[in-house]
């Protein structure tokens, strides 16, 4: 029995009942997977559904990190025209679930045994009031560095294992006339870099205190100031045309040897795979120096929007396809992420994928599996956006580090 809905949710339910939902035997899916690697991975899901006689109406909304997609989603829902399924992250899923906007997937979850194989860290964001409201597709993580191996070899650079090593490598690349760091100047990308950098100066406990507990002292701490000082070093090692560049075009700079490094989530791996490059030969993947034992994760999940009444047959089919062991292997091999189930073999994964799967288990067992602040798994969206604003303002030179930590603590306090 659906719990008594608050006024807003009742209004919402009314809107949805009149929704122009996708006609039967097809699903309309809103997502932001528009890069080469992302589209290749998504195609596997489309093909799976079509093989089951379910058509796929694609609703891509470009914009890394999904902010643009969430804006379009809000407009669609307000118009009473919610898509069948929507890619979502962490706290956004909880928000929609709490509004009563999402279908109940408990029947398919029970039939498929999800509770036994999906890690607790993902269930935190997939279930609201004991109801499954989303199907987890993968586990990405953000504290990775991607490097062009021939470029490093040609400049006598070993894989850096400390911040000092990393700075020395940047200096060598700059002296060789190679862009040290490929980056896209967009707030979500600046924040993604900040995930790794702040983890390296705060440690796991400090990162949790800052971005989950929103502890003002830690937000203003010397370790947080050091994180901003390191961000200034990153800023001084990107090329002149970094502003506004899409993340996958930055990855292409590393793939083609124009740049040495990119600090980015492991969706970047999907671009190397798409380009036919091999880990250990053409490129390196490694945890940002100082964060080798930690993982800042974000899981892509598909929210099934209530189309008026019970969950639809097509939504259940889509959800079951997403969490099937076969799809969990084939999709994540291409996407650069790791499976959302704990019982999938790493046999099909390359060395970076195997490392990612190993790191996830180790971090989960050691208490070092941390929700990514930049990708909506540490704090509600209002707080995430407030952090984005301060980090990107600092990256663009509006604040020095001393000012940034004060602005950060103030912005978080106001946004919570
Ligand atoms: C993340 C998402 C990834 C990838 C990335 C770049 O939020 O989890 O799957 O899409 O954004 O857009």
């Amino acid at each position: 029995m659906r719990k008594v809905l608050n006024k807003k949710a009742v209004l919402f339910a009314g809107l949805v009942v009149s929704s122009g939902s996708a006609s039967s035997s097809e699903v309309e899916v809103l997502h932001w997977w528009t890069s080469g690697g992302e589209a290749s991975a998504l195609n596997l899901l489309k093909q799976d559904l079509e093989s089951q006689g379910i058509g796929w109406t694609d609703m891509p909304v470009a914009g890394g990190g999904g902010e643009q997609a969430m804006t379009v989603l809000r407009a669609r829902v307000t118009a009473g025209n919610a898509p069948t399924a929507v890619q979502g992250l962490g706290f956004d899923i909880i928000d929609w679930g709490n509004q009563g906007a999402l279908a109940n997937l408990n029947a398919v979850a029970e039939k498929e045994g999800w509770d036994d194989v999906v890690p607790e860290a993902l269930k935190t964001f997939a279930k609201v009031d004991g109801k499954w409201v989303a199907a987890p597709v993968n586990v990405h993580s953000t504290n990775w560095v991607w490097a062009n191996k021939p470029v490093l070899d040609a400049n006598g650079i070993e894989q850096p294992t400390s911040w000092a090593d990393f700075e020395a490598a940047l200096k060598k690349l700059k002296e060789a006339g190679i862009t040290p760091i490929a980056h896209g100047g967009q707030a979500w990308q600046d924040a993604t870099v900040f995930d790794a950098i702040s983890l390296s100066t705060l440690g796991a406990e400090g990162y949790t205190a800052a971005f989950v507990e929103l502890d003002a002292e830690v937000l203003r701490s010397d370790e947080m100031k050091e994180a901003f000082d390191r961000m200034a070093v990153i800023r001084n090692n990107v090329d002149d045309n970094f502003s506004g560049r899409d993340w996958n075009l930055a990855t292409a700079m590393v793939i083609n040897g124009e740049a040495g490094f990119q600090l980015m989530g492991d969706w970047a791996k999907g671009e190397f795979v798409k380009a036919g490059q091999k880990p250990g030969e053409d490129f390196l993947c490694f945890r940002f120096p100082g964060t080798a034992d930690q993982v800042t994760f974000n899981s892509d999940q598909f929210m099934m929007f209530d189309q008026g009444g019970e969950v639809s047959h097509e939504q259940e089919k889509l959800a079951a396809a997403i969490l099937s062991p076969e799809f969990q292997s084939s999709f994540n091999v291409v996407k650069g992420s790791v499976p959302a189930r704990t019982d999938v073999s790493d046999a099909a994964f390359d060395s970076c994928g195997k490392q990612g799967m190993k790191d996830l288990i180790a971090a989960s067992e050691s208490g070092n599996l941390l929700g990514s602040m930049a990708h909506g798994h540490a704090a509600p969206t209002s707080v995430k956006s407030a952090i984005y604003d301060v980090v990107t303002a600092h990256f663009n030179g509006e604040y020095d580090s001393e000012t940034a930590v004060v602005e950060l603590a103030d912005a978080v306090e106001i946004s919570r």
Side-chain angles (χ1 to χ4, degrees), residues 364-412:
S364 186
E365 285 167 359
S366 65
N368 285 305
L369 181 58
L370 310 166
S372 159
M373 169 281 294
H375 291 267
H377 283 70
T381 303
S382 58
V383 176
K384 179 189 82 172
S385 303
I387 297 169
Y388 274 25
D389 291 348
V390 175
V391 168
T392 207
H394 171 270
F395 199 76
N396 293 325
E398 286 171 49
Y399 300 143
D400 61 20
S401 298
E402 290 78 3
T403 307
V405 296
V406 174
E407 290 293 334
L408 181 65
D410 290 353
V412 165

Side-chain angles (χ1 to χ4, degrees), residues 177-245:
I178 294 167
T179 297
I181 296 174
H183 182 66
Q186 296 169 348
W188 77 270
Q189 292 189 61
D190 300 343
T192 301
V193 172
F194 197 63
D195 259 359
I197 296 271
S198 60
L199 179 60
S200 77
T201 61
L202 291 166
E205 272 182 45
Y207 183 95
T208 302
F211 301 127
V212 177
E213 294 156 13
L214 309 181
D215 180 313
E217 291 317 304
V218 178
L219 289 167
R220 283 196 194 89
S221 65
D222 289 345
E223 291 77 11
M224 189 65 82
K225 180 187 166 302
E226 170 62 16
F228 281 109
D229 287 343
R230 293 185 178 187
M231 287 298 282
V233 171
I234 302 293
R235 174 65 183 81
N236 290 332
N237 282 278
V238 299
D239 66 295
D240 294 342
N241 302 317
F242 81 98
S243 183
R245 179 185 288 130

Side-chain angles (χ1 to χ4, degrees), residues 96-112:
W96 284 112
N98 285 335
Q99 288 182 55
L102 304 180
N104 181 345
L105 297 173
N106 277 1
V108 61
E110 218 162 290
K111 183 161 163 278
E112 302 287 325

Side-chain angles (χ1 to χ4, degrees), residues 32-33 38 63-66 87 89 138 140 188 247 267 298 300 335 375:
W32 61 91
W33 285 335
E38 293 171 331
Q87 178 189 357
L89 295 173
N138 61 13
H140 273 302
W188 77 270
W247 68 270
W267 44 90
N298 62 290
D300 290 304
K335 184 70 172 63
H375 291 267

